[in-house]
Amino acid sequence: MTSHTGGDLMGAKDVSTIRNTAQDPDDSLSGADVAHESKASDSENDNHVDVNFQAGVQNIEAVTVAWSSTWLAVAYVLIWLTYFVQGLVTGTSGALLPFVASAFAEHSLAPTTSILSAVIGGVTNLSIAKVLDIFGRPQGYLLCIVLAVVGLIMSAACNNVEAYAASQVFYTVGINGIGYSLSVFVADTSSLRNRGLMQAFASSPNLITCWLGGPISTAFLNGPGWRWAFGMFTILVPAVTLPLFGLFTYHYLQAKKKGIIPRRESGRTFLQSLVHYCREFDAIGLLLISAGVAFFLLPFNLYTLQAKGWNSPLVICFLVFGIVLLIVFALWEKFFAQVSFIPWTLLRDRTVLGACLLSFTLFLSYSSWAVYFSSVLMVVNNLTVTEASYVVQTYTVGSVLTALAAGGLIHYTGRYKPVSLYFAVPLSMLGIGLMIHFSQPGQSIGYIVMCMIFISFANGVLIITDEIAIMAAAAEQQYFAVSLAVLGLFGNIGSAIGLTISSAIWQGILPNKLVEYLPAEDLPNLLMIYGDIVTQLSYLPGTPTRDAIQHAYADAQRGLLIAATSVWVIGFVAVFMWRDIKVIGIKQTKGVVA
């Protein structure tokens, strides 16, 4: 590993060798076993940055050394406000998605608009991690703000579903990158023992914003239109997020003025710097995996638009290109990449691998059934847009509350594995399994809310414990950004696969069931009914056509929920793989932290 200039992030040590792996019979490790040897004398060096770390990590260490507890509190207030806006934008855009797709008569392609952005959003977090580590936290954060605003502008101006999908790539990379940057900052400014609690607190604005997405989207749909909603956010996002960038930058300059940050001279020319950073960011690997995964997943959503289905030359070419690019990516990383896009040494640790698999399962399962959930509530349960958003946001409320509870539990016990293995995973499987029965026509909406509470309680715990597990295993602040980026990568790939499964099942079941259930006089309108939720809702509840649509919807949703329940077998194995590392006593950060 090269200090200052951002060499191979994992070059100095294999993560699996950072810790001694001697274990108790109950597979529990103490903080002393896990902490890196260099941390033994941290009390003596707490006011000095670690010059072996990359420049961005040194810079954030210098900031926490230089600032006061008052500025730490101000920073968390700004983080809270930024999370508030992020939740507001995410909730409103999610509620508008069916109507944006339906505006172009492509309601069934709602998942397709999210798949490419989910894949690219996942892989680009690794590049954002490099920006955070090599250039600094403020620089990476600012880049994400710019991308989010560009995506929102494109969404407001789009004139077809393809343009909207393209805008979602910029928007998703940006808005998710903002959240990711904040997660890294929380990790940088908190002890491992308190990290789950602080992350849950920082995410608590979702308790408020979850109730605002529905009314805001309804107001814009009934008023100036959905384009103006995106236009409003192009102003709101930079107005709220930029003050935190200013705070980061101010304290970086203060630390530099105090001489806490060491002087750095690269000695490279512009061309040498360009080559250097292309190598550090593994630009070829990023391009290969992004294109490969996208080419592989998109055919599952587009095959119904082709006359020959899976035999279409376009679908076959996409699949072949996707597989070939993924193989080339693996060969490139194994034999040619000087700096690996994915830090393979991290994945050799079973706790890290288990955390990544859990993230994959969590997002795969949720994305498999949730993308059409609001549409199901409106069509099958006869709810309004606002009422459907309230039911959907039950997940947000429950997950935030249990995340806070999980953070407090970890603070007092230092343990994160038991609550995940014996409570959260079984409860998630129970909630989704019960939803299979209660999502049918004629069932009380109260039972669906009950299922959502079960799922939210489980997933709220798992989101926090998953992050704690991977950071406890990674051991050093040097690995915070890349660990969270890898976790996000697995989550986004899981989300993309879940959306693919969702779209494939939905497009495979719904039109066939509509043909089976619709009255003969409505069959000429089949394509319009299938592709436009506004047309579906135009048939009054209790009419034969609406009943037919409801039963077709319920059959399709049943298939999605069965798939979502089945994948939790992977989640159980993933949590079982974790070490039960006791986080009390592990010191990973310096200076004034929470």
Side-chain angles (χ1 to χ4, degrees):
M1 173 175 60
T2 58
S3 61
H4 314 325
T5 57
D8 189 352
L9 187 61
M10 308 303 297
K13 292 183 178 70
D14 187 318
V15 171
S16 62
T17 64
I18 288 175
R19 291 175 269 97
N20 296 321
T21 56
Q23 300 176 35
D24 298 333
D26 66 350
D27 200 28
S28 176
L29 298 178
S30 69
D33 293 323
V34 180
H36 190 275
E37 292 177 0
S38 66
K39 297 298 180 181
S41 59
D42 265 350
S43 59
E44 302 174 6
N45 300 311
D46 202 44
N47 292 324
H48 299 84
V49 301
D50 192 327
V51 296
N52 293 316
F53 288 170
Q54 290 175 297
V57 182
Q58 292 181 39
N59 293 347
I60 193 63
E61 278 195 340
V63 167
T64 57
V65 168
W67 69 5
S68 64
S69 56
T70 300
W71 281 113
L72 175 64
V74 171
Y76 271 93
V77 170
L78 294 177
I79 287 175
W80 193 93
L81 291 173
T82 303
Y83 268 116
F84 182 92
V85 170
Q86 184 196 32
L88 194 67
V89 175
T90 302
T92 304
S93 62
L96 291 173
L97 174 57
F99 295 90
V100 176
S102 292
F104 310 119
E106 296 288 359
H107 175 253
S108 64
L109 287 182
T112 306
T113 63
S114 302
I115 286 175
L116 189 58
S117 60
V119 174
I120 296 178
V123 297
T124 52
N125 270 358
L126 283 169
S127 293
I128 295 173
K130 288 290 189 179
V131 174
L132 296 174
D133 285 341
I134 297 172
F135 296 109
R137 281 20 178 182
Q139 291 86 342
Y141 177 68
L142 180 62
L143 173 64
C144 295
I145 294 172
V146 172
L147 291 174
V149 172
V150 169
L152 289 167
I153 293 172
M154 291 174 63
S155 296
C158 69
N159 54 15
N160 55 53
V161 74
E162 292 82 9
Y164 180 70
S167 74
Q168 288 299 286
V169 172
F170 287 91
Y171 161 75
T172 302
V173 171
I175 206 72
N176 289 352
I178 289 172
Y180 163 70
S181 300
L182 295 179
S183 295
V184 174
F185 178 74
V186 170
D188 287 326
T189 58
S190 62
S191 65
L192 183 59
R193 180 179 182 178
N194 294 330
R195 195 161 297 150
L197 190 60
M198 297 310 298
Q199 184 61 60
F201 167 76
S203 303
S204 62
N206 290 323
L207 289 172
I208 303 172
T209 59
C210 68
W211 305 113
L212 301 179
I216 290 175
S217 59
T218 300
F220 276 100
L221 289 171
N222 294 336
W226 54 264
R227 296 181 188 276
W228 284 96
F230 293 112
M232 177 188 70
F233 288 131
T234 61
I235 300 172
L236 186 62
V237 168
V240 176
T241 57
L242 285 176
L244 185 60
F245 167 77
L247 183 143
F248 285 163
T249 304
Y250 170 77
H251 285 286
Y252 164 76
L253 294 175
Q254 289 296 108
K256 191 173 182 179
K257 184 182 296 184
K258 294 177 181 179
I260 300 174
I261 299 174
R263 293 178 60 86
R264 309 180 184 107
E265 296 292 340
S266 68
R268 294 186 300 266
T269 65
F270 173 78
L271 182 59
Q272 289 172 333
S273 293
L274 181 63
V275 173
H276 169 78
Y277 287 118
C278 284
R279 182 178 67 249
E280 293 302 312
F281 283 83
D282 192 13
I284 295 177
L286 172 63
L287 179 62
L288 288 172
I289 193 172
S290 300
V293 175
F295 274 125
F296 180 76
L297 292 178
L298 285 176
F300 291 90
N301 298 273
L302 302 179
Y303 76 93
T304 56
L305 301 180
Q306 305 299 313
K308 296 182 179 180
W310 286 104
N311 294 322
S312 167
L314 179 64
V315 170
I316 294 173
C317 285
F318 272 15
L319 284 173
V320 171
F321 274 117
I323 293 171
V324 169
L325 287 172
L326 290 174
I327 293 173
V328 173
F329 167 75
L331 294 174
W332 167 262
E333 295 296 304
K334 178 68 175 177
F335 299 108
F336 302 105
Q338 293 178 312
V339 178
S340 294
F341 177 70
I342 296 176
W344 301 106
T345 47
L346 265 180
L347 299 180
R348 294 175 190 167
D349 184 282
R350 66 185 177 94
T351 302
V352 173
L353 180 57
C356 291
L357 287 177
L358 176 62
S359 180
F360 172 83
T361 304
L362 193 64
F363 284 89
L364 190 158
S365 177
Y366 184 77
S367 298
S368 294
W369 66 271
V371 68
Y372 290 111
F373 185 55
S374 62
S375 298
V376 170
L377 291 173
M378 288 185 282
V379 173
V380 178
N381 300 97
N382 305 319
L383 302 185
T384 64
V385 174
T386 300
E387 291 169 342
S389 74
Y390 288 163
V391 175
V392 170
Q393 295 304 335
T394 302
Y395 176 90
T396 303
V397 174
S399 61
V400 170
L401 292 176
T402 50
L404 287 167
L409 183 65
I410 294 170
H411 171 81
Y412 285 108
T413 66
R415 307 281 292 277
Y416 56 83
K417 182 176 179 178
V419 69
S420 303
L421 186 62
Y422 302 119
F423 170 76
V425 172
L427 187 62
S428 184
M429 296 177 69
L430 175 65
I432 301 173
L434 289 175
M435 189 86 80
I436 296 172
H437 174 71
F438 292 124
S439 290
Q440 302 306 302
Q443 295 289 341
S444 170
I445 191 65
Y447 290 118
I448 294 179
V449 173
M450 177 191 71
C451 294
M452 289 293 291
I453 291 174
F454 289 164
I455 296 168
S456 66
F457 280 7
N459 291 2
V461 171
L462 292 174
I463 289 171
I464 291 297
T465 57
D466 204 27
E467 287 191 7
I468 298 300
I470 196 169
M471 283 191 283
E476 287 190 331
Q477 188 173 4
Q478 173 78 337
Y479 307 111
F480 286 175
V482 72
S483 296
L484 291 174
V486 170
L487 200 66
L489 172 64
F490 274 79
N492 277 273
I493 296 298
S495 180
I497 293 176
L499 290 168
T500 300
I501 292 172
S502 176
S503 186
I505 293 176
W506 191 266
Q507 295 178 20
I509 294 178
L510 185 62
N512 293 329
K513 291 299 181 179
L514 285 173
V515 171
E516 179 181 346
Y517 297 144
L518 280 174
E521 61 269 20
D522 290 313
L523 289 178
N525 300 321
L526 175 64
L527 292 179
M528 182 60 71
I529 293 173
Y530 171 59
D532 187 359
I533 191 173
V534 176
T535 300
Q536 296 163 8
L537 295 174
S538 68
Y539 296 97
L540 296 178
T543 61
T545 303
R546 182 62 173 267
D547 288 344
I549 297 171
Q550 288 177 336
H551 281 90
Y553 257 70
D555 288 348
Q557 184 72 350
R558 182 191 296 116
L560 303 183
L561 290 166
I562 290 172
T565 306
S566 302
V567 300
W568 270 106
V569 174
I570 303 173
F572 177 81
V573 173
V575 175
F576 188 78
M577 291 170 61
W578 292 356
R579 289 183 190 82
D580 191 13
I581 302 170
K582 193 169 185 179
V583 300
I584 295 176
I586 299 178
K587 185 170 179 58
Q588 297 176 326
T589 52
K590 294 184 178 182
V592 179
V593 297

